[in-house]
Amino acid sequence: MYLVLCLIQSVVWGLQMSPVNRMNVQKLIIRRVIATTSEETSQKIDKELKERWSKSTKQVATLGPASSTNEMLEALFLAGADVFRLNFSHGKHEEKRELVEKIRKVEKKHGRPIAILADLQGPKLRVGVFANDEKVFLDKGQKFRFDLDETPGDNRRVQLPHPEIIATLSLGDTLLIDDGKLRMTVCASGDEFVETFVQVGGYISNRKGVNTPSVVLPISPLTPKDRADLEFALTLGIDWVALSFVQRPEDIEELQQFVNQNLPTNDPSIKAPNLMAKLEKPAAVNDPNILRRIVELCDGIMVARGD
């Protein structure tokens, strides 16, 4: 705009006319340029908004401390976010309530629906602790044992306080540690331990996460924390609930049953949320029949990172 105005001034001052007429012409041209520019900008904005509302692919934005202000929520919405994800792995219930209230205000202001997704943490399986709270390094090719002994671990063993995992693992099964940074294969097992061969080494320390991609664990997909979080989320009128680490169709059935039993009945505006299965375990996708049944039972699928 500044460049355009400078060019107008140069052209007008080059005309053969009185200073007064020259100034009037300059003002007239500038007003026209501004009007035209405003009209073009308005048309561009209208086109962008039309595309924003008509797009068939929806965008999910995960909210955190940096994106929890009214201004940022509205900016994210106007930039294209259609769904706001509330990660129940972190934060307090009251913080989630405040976010929902802010989202609904943006929704009301713009007269457009915004979906709210409550993402449950799911089972968190972890190793025990190490001597002196130190991290230890495991070399590729070495053996490492997981057992039920509460004695602090070292570079040869550590407690795995989940007897259901030890009972389920067998020769050749895989364990992933610390979001998959370390990879191990079971080479021997007993009633209270599994011996593994380290395929991908690295540092391991207190309470790092454990994932067992090669087996279906006989555990509920809803931990006590998940149940408390979901019962609270249902009172907020969330639109979607995502279940982590889905292994089998029965996991979705258990989620549906919990929702049916805990949906508030004192507020007619609160409806049952849609159910989303987070697929991050091979057991959920390796068998086409299991995958088909999971898809039939839920309303949406999230291909999640897992480990």
Side-chain angles (χ1 to χ4, degrees), residues 154-257:
D154 53 31
N155 65 345
R156 295 170 297 175
R157 60 153 298 278
V158 74
Q159 180 193 22
L160 183 59
H162 302 285
E164 68 277 11
I165 296 182
I166 290 178
T168 305
L169 291 170
S170 59
L171 187 67
D173 283 328
T174 298
L175 283 87
L176 300 176
I177 311 297
D178 192 11
D179 293 334
K181 294 182 179 68
L182 288 81
R183 184 183 185 94
M184 306 170 186
T185 302
V186 176
C187 57
S189 63
D191 292 339
E192 297 186 348
F193 77 92
V194 289
E195 193 86 30
T196 67
F197 178 82
V198 179
Q199 289 186 313
V200 178
Y203 283 103
I204 182 173
S205 56
N206 292 349
R207 300 185 178 87
K208 290 302 182 183
V210 180
N211 192 9
T212 57
S214 59
V215 298
V216 176
L217 297 177
I219 59 176
S220 170
L222 292 170
T223 66
K225 171 179 167 52
D226 293 330
R227 294 173 185 274
D229 288 341
L230 180 52
E231 186 173 1
F232 169 75
L234 291 174
T235 67
L236 302 179
I238 54 157
D239 305 290
W240 287 84
V241 56
L243 183 63
S244 298
F245 296 103
V246 172
Q247 300 184 98
R248 50 189 175 249
E250 290 79 6
D251 294 342
I252 302 299
E253 291 175 339
E254 184 174 344
L255 174 63
Q256 183 67 74
Q257 182 180 29

Side-chain angles (χ1 to χ4, degrees), residues 15-232:
L15 299 176
Q16 298 299 318
M17 60 179 66
S18 69
V20 174
N21 288 337
R22 186 185 298 121
M23 186 63 68
N24 290 335
V25 171
Q26 181 175 325
K27 289 180 179 179
L28 179 63
I29 295 175
I30 290 174
R31 282 199 297 268
R32 180 55 186 163
V33 169
I34 291 176
T36 303
T37 304
S38 299
E39 183 179 351
E40 292 175 352
T41 302
S42 178
Q43 292 175 351
K44 181 180 180 182
I45 292 175
D46 290 342
K47 182 175 182 295
E48 290 177 349
L49 287 177
K50 183 178 180 181
E51 293 174 349
R52 189 256 178 272
W53 304 129
S54 63
K55 62 189 175 76
S56 56
T57 300
K58 305 305 180 185
Q59 295 169 254
V60 180
T62 298
L63 299 181
S67 54
S68 60
T69 64
N70 292 313
E71 295 77 14
M72 182 57 72
L73 285 171
E74 185 172 18
L76 289 171
F77 172 69
L78 293 175
D82 304 283
V83 183
F84 284 120
R85 171 178 171 262
L86 307 183
N87 184 2
F88 275 84
S89 295
H90 310 285
K92 299 178 181 179
H93 283 180
E94 193 54 39
E95 294 171 349
K96 299 294 188 291
R97 184 191 303 277
E98 291 174 1
L99 280 174
V100 169
E101 291 174 352
K102 291 177 180 178
I103 293 168
R104 294 310 184 202
K105 287 180 180 178
V106 174
E107 184 179 61
K108 184 177 181 180
K109 177 180 178 179
H110 292 277
R112 295 284 180 173
I114 304 174
I116 298 177
L117 167 66
D119 195 341
L120 303 177
Q121 176 177 279
K124 287 295 183 183
L125 309 174
R126 301 183 183 279
V127 301
V129 299
F130 289 83
N132 302 317
D133 292 331
E134 294 180 351
K135 62 181 180 180
V136 300
F137 189 85
L138 303 184
D139 294 304
K140 178 181 178 180
Q142 78 164 81
K143 289 186 177 181
F144 190 77
R145 174 174 290 210
F146 297 92
D147 55 42
L148 300 178
D149 186 355
E150 295 182 1
T151 304
D154 53 31
N155 65 345
R156 295 170 297 175
R157 60 153 298 278
V158 74
Q159 180 193 22
L160 183 59
H162 302 285
E164 68 277 11
I165 296 182
I166 290 178
T168 305
L169 291 170
S170 59
L171 187 67
D173 283 328
T174 298
L175 283 87
L176 300 176
I177 311 297
D178 192 11
D179 293 334
K181 294 182 179 68
L182 288 81
R183 184 183 185 94
M184 306 170 186
T185 302
V186 176
C187 57
S189 63
D191 292 339
E192 297 186 348
F193 77 92
V194 289
E195 193 86 30
T196 67
F197 178 82
V198 179
Q199 289 186 313
V200 178
Y203 283 103
I204 182 173
S205 56
N206 292 349
R207 300 185 178 87
K208 290 302 182 183
V210 180
N211 192 9
T212 57
S214 59
V215 298
V216 176
L217 297 177
I219 59 176
S220 170
L222 292 170
T223 66
K225 171 179 167 52
D226 293 330
R227 294 173 185 274
D229 288 341
L230 180 52
E231 186 173 1
F232 169 75

